[in-house]
Amino acid sequence: MANAVFNNIYIGGIACAVPEKVEKITDYIDELGEDEINKFIDTTGVRERRVVTGNQTTSDMCFVAAEQLMKEKQIDKDSIDAIIFLTQSADYIQPATSHVIHKRLGLSKNCIAFDINLGCSGYVYGMYLASTMLQGGSFRKILFLAGEMAVENPETSIKDVILFGHAGTATLIERGNTEMKCLLKANGEGYSSLIIPGGGMRKPITSSTNFYKDTAYHMDGAEVFGFTITEIPRAFKEFFDLYGGNIDNYDYCVFHQANLLILKQLARKIKVPLEKMPISLDRYANTSSASIPLGIVDLCEREQVPETLNLITSGFGVGLSWGVVSFEVESKNVLPMIYTSDYYKEAFRG
Amino acid sequence: MDLQTKLNLLEDMLDLDQGSLEVTTELETLADWDSVAAISLIALVDEHFDKIITGAMIKEFKTVQDIIEIME
């Protein structure tokens, strides 16, 4: 079971980079009509989203976040022992994009690099994994990058496109003396509830297939919604049963920003006071694995927060997979939001 | 909860005028019966009746009466 308490970690920094381009949901009135747009905004809570332009990718945003974090926190690049890139929008089918970022950041040959394919649960999974590496191995500093740019596809419904925003984040996790408590879960029975069926080995793209149709994003919204409002409250209960305490012990509860209807239901069921539940999806939409660190950055920019933030976080989604992770972060280690349109001009394009 | 209160909850959820739904109303005739309505219904039933209905159950619903029957 992926239940663990780590006593020897420290969050050395959190940074988030988003595209400079802002798109308003009301820009889609011509396609969807005013009534439909208003209903979408009321239900999802999304009013704006940030979207990449030109050649910009998830890895570009994560690179900018990581580079800025290392500069601001004066981190020697040779001290990074591992770089983990978590996304569903990698630069290439192979190699792992973490190697591209490894090169761009100028990391040492002693720094290992690998990718993780996860979505909205990714941040809590990554925090757990990095902490196990710090506790069990010779690692001292790990750069954990999580980001997403949902693939836009003419075969995907507009509402499924505009629910998602683009963002890249970097979190520095190192050895220290703060505590992280984790509880992670998975249920493969729901693997087809959120899926892009084509483009892999199961349904390869060939000269006779329709690329856009086969690689369109499928989401069974009702199944995913039911899963979330059932399993996440259950996971919080198990978390508090295992580790003691309750929601009052935390300054904020940072949920993955799925949509407002889900957040309202979770707040009601888990009894999270609204003032303890930061909302960022109104301006950034659902940014998948980036939404928790993005939410922390946004929170520190918008509110007078304590010097040390005691957070409980929860991510949930594709897989199906979910988890609850609590940790401390000093607000001085949370960088202001970064806005960027930069991309890797020298990237290999074949 | 009586039938009228349940109908009013569904009318609110679907943004319809009070009194516009009947138990015999076929769901496919409602312009707002879509994927957003499905998740709103899951939330409504969870909040008021403390039970989780699945997407598969919702796909089987044909009339308002089918929904009323699970609102217990």
Side-chain angles (χ1 to χ4, degrees), chain A residues 284-301:
Chain A
Y284 298 100
N286 175 340
T287 55
S288 190
S289 58
S291 75
I292 292 173
L294 183 155
I296 296 168
V297 166
D298 187 53
L299 169 71
C300 291
E301 255 187 359

Side-chain angles (χ1 to χ4, degrees), chain A residues 336-348:
Chain A
M337 192 69 77
I338 303 161
Y339 303 94
T340 176
S341 297
D342 286 351
Y343 69 95
Y344 188 25
K345 295 176 183 62
E346 295 79 30
F348 186 83

Side-chain angles (χ1 to χ4, degrees), chain A residues 195-236:
Chain A
I195 193 166
I196 295 176
M201 295 301 114
R202 187 65 65 194
K203 193 176 184 187
I205 299 300
T206 67
S207 56
S208 59
T209 54
N210 181 330
F211 176 81
Y212 286 124
K213 193 165 184 299
D214 287 350
T215 60
Y217 176 67
H218 293 258
M219 171 166 62
D220 187 336
E223 281 306 321
V224 176
F225 186 84
F227 141 74
T228 306
I229 63 172
T230 308
E231 294 295 352
I232 306 312
R234 203 175 276 168
F236 270 79

Side-chain angles (χ1 to χ4, degrees), chain B:
Chain B
M1 188 181 287
D2 64 24
L3 174 64
Q4 194 54 54
T5 311
K6 291 176 186 174
L7 287 172
N8 291 347
L9 278 175
L10 293 177
E11 285 158 352
D12 270 354
M13 183 192 90
L14 292 165
D15 234 357
L16 296 170
D17 293 334
Q18 296 278 293
S20 58
L21 280 184
E22 295 178 12
V23 290
T24 53
T25 305
E26 293 191 8
L27 298 171
E28 64 179 21
T29 65
L30 301 171
D32 282 339
W33 182 247
D34 57 11
S35 57
V36 174
I39 62 168
S40 301
L41 180 64
I42 296 171
L44 184 151
V45 173
D46 178 38
E47 191 167 340
H48 292 275
F49 304 97
D50 198 24
K51 64 166 88 161
I52 304 286
I53 54 170
T54 65
M57 288 166 75
I58 293 172
K59 284 183 190 122
E60 295 298 314
F61 293 158
K62 299 283 185 285
T63 64
V64 169
Q65 177 63 31
D66 296 334
I67 302 178
I68 296 292
E69 283 171 13
I70 52 101
M71 294 170 80
E72 295 292 343

Side-chain angles (χ1 to χ4, degrees), chain A residues 84-90 114-122 125 148 318-319 321:
Chain A
I84 304 168
F85 179 55
L86 187 147
T87 192
Q88 295 173 118
S89 45
F114 61 92
D115 284 12
I116 301 175
N117 181 337
L118 272 175
C120 305
S121 64
Y125 266 67
E148 202 68 79
V318 67
S321 54

